[in-house]
Amino acid sequence: MLKLSNKISNLGTETAFTVLARAATLQAEGRDIINLGIGQPDFATPDHIVEAGVKALRDGHHGYTPPNGILPLREAVCRDLNRRHGADINPDRIIVVPGGKVTMFFAISMFGEAGAEILYPNPGFPIYESAISYTGATPVLYPLREENGFGFSADDLIARVTAKTRLIILNSPANPTGGVTPVEEMDKLAAFLTERPDIAILSDEIYSNMLYDGRVHRSILEYEALQDRAIMLDGWSKTYAMTGWRLGYAVWPESLVEAATKLCVNDHSCVNASAQFAGIAALDGPQEPVHEMVAAFDHRRKITVERLRALPGFRCADPAGAFYCFPNITGTGMTSRDAQTLFLETAGVATIAGTSFGSEGEGFLRFSYANSAENIEAAIDRIAKLL
Ligand SMILES: Cc1ncc(COP(=O)(O)O)c(C=O)c1O
C-alpha cells in the first residue's frame, strides 16, 4: 500500500475544472451544453500578441530564460504598473511565473506551517484554502457579505487577526462574487497593517482591469508603508484572454525575492520563452482589445443580472468587477450543489455551486458571463423554464 503524505490529503481543488470536464462529457454524448461555469474570457488572444509569440519561436527563443523572467518583460510590467497604479517599481522585484496561481502557492508556502494562521476570503477562490491546508497552517476565513455587495469589510478581517497570523490574502475584484473592495476599507486595513510588520499580505489583483459602474481599484502597491511585506499577484490570463499561455507575475518585497526565485528554480525553472515575448507585446501594444472585451463583459453583466433577478427564488447583488455574478438562490429551496447538478444535467447549463468557494458560499451559485449575450439569454431561458 502506498502511503501518501498528509499534505496531499489536505489539498482541495477547483470545481470549475470538474464541471468543465462533465460538461465536455455531456457534449461528447451529443447534449447541447451552455457553459457559464468556467472563469476564462471567451475571446481569442489578440492577434498582435499571438504574432509576438510566434515570432519569438521563429527567432530561436527556444531555451531556458532566467528563472524570474526576461528583463524586457519585467521592465514592461513595471511600465504597466506605473501607468495603472502610479507605482514606481524596480524590475528586480518582479517574478514572472506560469500563471497567477503559482504566486499564490509560493506565497502561501513561504508563510504556511503548523501553528501559523492565514486569513482568506470566503466565499473566495478555492485554491487559497486548499494551499493553506496543504502547508499545515490553519485557514482562518473572513466573510464577504452579500449585504455589502460582497465588498470587503476591514473590520471583519481585523477582528480575526491574532498573534499567530502570518499572512492575509486579499482579492479584489473578487472571484466568485464580482465584489470590489471600497477604497476606504483598503485604507482602513492598510492603517491597521502598518502597525503589524509581522504580517505579510498577498493581494490577488488578477481582475484589476475589469471594473464597472465607475468603480476604482486601489492596488496594494499604492501603500508605501506596506512595500516591505506586500506581494501583489497579477497576470495576463484574464486581461489579455491568455489563460492557456500560462503567464503571470508578482511584485515581491525585496526581502522575499531570493526565496521566491529559489522556489521558481525548484518548481519550473522558468516560464516558456515565447509566452514571455507575447507578454511584452500585450503590455506595450494597443490596449483597445482589452477595452472592447471589458465593454462586452459590462454589457453581458447587465443582461445577466437583470435576467437572474427575474428568476423565481433568485436575488442578485450588483457585481462591480471581474466577470461573475453570484446570485442567492435560497428562495428556490435547493442547495447550491443540487442546483448546480440540476441545471447542468437537466437544462444543459453549467454553473458552479457557491460551496465550491467555501462554506460561506452555501445558498449561492456562480454564473460566469464570459460567454456571448445570446448564450447567456438562452441559458437563463432554460433555467426559467425548468424552475
Ligand atoms: C482570483 C483568481 N486568482 C488567480 C487566478 C489564476 O489565474 P491563472 O490562470 O493565471 O493561474 C484565478 C483564475 O481563475 C482567479 O480567479
Side-chain angles (χ1 to χ4, degrees):
M1 270 279 262
L2 301 177
K3 175 126 178 58
L4 291 180
S5 71
N6 280 340
K7 284 185 163 182
I8 293 298
S9 48
N10 286 342
L11 265 184
T13 190
E14 196 183 342
T15 313
F17 285 97
T18 321
V19 172
L20 187 66
R22 179 68 188 145
T25 307
L26 291 172
Q27 261 163 340
E29 289 168 1
R31 291 278 309 277
D32 174 23
I33 303 294
I34 303 175
N35 197 336
L36 304 184
I38 193 74
Q40 69 177 338
D42 56 319
F43 296 92
T45 305
D47 284 345
H48 70 280
I49 302 176
V50 175
E51 287 312 317
V54 171
K55 182 174 183 303
L57 287 172
R58 295 233 160 85
D59 288 349
H61 293 288
H62 303 163
Y64 292 124
T65 77
N68 56 343
I70 57 176
L71 181 60
L73 177 58
R74 289 182 288 113
E75 288 173 339
V77 167
C78 292
R79 284 191 289 279
D80 181 57
L81 294 175
N82 186 265
R83 278 189 300 268
R84 293 197 297 126
H85 307 310
D88 189 14
I89 305 289
N90 185 324
D92 290 347
R93 287 179 60 197
I94 309 296
I95 297 189
V96 176
V97 280
K101 261 182 189 165
V102 179
T103 295
M104 226 173 265
F105 224 87
F106 284 7
I108 292 168
S109 43
M110 233 178 247
F111 294 99
E113 62 185 344
E117 292 178 356
I118 299 184
L119 268 77
Y120 72 102
N122 188 329
F125 190 53
I127 303 305
Y128 305 142
E129 187 180 347
S130 166
I132 297 166
S133 302
Y134 177 82
T135 64
T138 305
V140 179
L141 73 84
Y142 64 86
L144 294 178
R145 300 178 194 276
E146 181 188 16
E147 59 267 30
N148 297 339
F150 297 106
F152 143 107
S153 145
D155 288 338
D156 270 340
L157 188 154
I158 292 167
R160 290 163 174 83
V161 172
T162 71
K164 292 181 183 167
T165 307
R166 293 255 192 106
L167 176 69
I168 288 174
I169 301 175
L170 306 174
N171 173 220
S172 179
N175 180 7
T177 59
V180 173
T181 301
V183 169
E184 15 349 316
E185 295 299 315
M186 268 303 278
D187 286 348
K188 191 171 186 182
L189 179 68
F192 170 80
L193 290 173
T194 303
E195 307 301 321
R196 286 294 303 263
D198 55 321
I199 301 178
I201 306 135
L202 169 63
S203 180
D204 181 343
E205 303 185 14
I206 201 135
Y207 294 104
S208 55
N209 278 294
M210 292 164 183
L211 287 163
Y212 315 106
D213 295 339
R215 293 295 291 271
V216 175
H217 173 71
R218 174 65 63 86
S219 173
I220 198 77
L221 297 177
E222 293 173 51
Y223 297 94
E224 205 46 54
L226 301 178
Q227 292 314 297
D228 58 350
R229 67 201 87 145
I231 303 157
M232 197 284 275
L233 178 164
D234 203 340
W236 288 258
S237 296
K238 316 288 175 177
T239 306
Y240 298 99
M242 291 177 72
T243 51
W245 293 71
R246 308 313 300 139
L247 187 65
Y249 71 86
V251 183
W252 290 82
E254 261 164 40
S255 64
L256 299 180
V257 164
E258 192 185 331
T261 309
K262 230 193 258 178
L263 282 165
C264 292
V265 175
N266 277 270
D267 182 69
H268 55 268
S269 297
C270 64
V271 174
N272 83 76
S274 61
Q276 296 192 48
F277 282 92
I280 299 174
L283 296 175
D284 284 349
Q287 299 302 301
E288 281 73 22
V290 177
H291 301 147
E292 283 163 20
M293 192 167 71
V294 174
F297 286 146
D298 191 17
H299 174 63
R300 298 159 179 191
R301 176 183 71 106
K302 290 175 180 143
I303 295 172
T304 313
V305 171
E306 191 189 316
R307 293 291 318 272
L308 290 177
R309 282 182 179 159
L311 289 176
F314 275 57
R315 61 170 193 252
C316 186
D318 259 325
F323 40 64
Y324 307 108
C325 291
F326 204 57
N328 182 317
I329 61 152
T330 45
T332 65
M334 285 187 279
T335 65
S336 300
R337 187 58 55 145
D338 287 349
Q340 173 192 295
T341 307
L342 182 73
F343 294 166
L344 179 57
E345 303 293 331
T346 312
V349 178
T351 60
I352 312 281
T355 40
S356 298
F357 305 96
S359 50
E360 302 292 302
E362 183 55 274
F364 297 88
L365 209 52
R366 189 188 80 173
F367 285 72
S368 159
Y369 48 85
N371 206 323
S372 67
E374 195 187 358
N375 280 343
I376 292 168
E377 296 265 16
I380 301 177
D381 283 345
R382 289 186 194 181
I383 294 174
K385 209 166 140 203
L386 185 74
L387 290 172

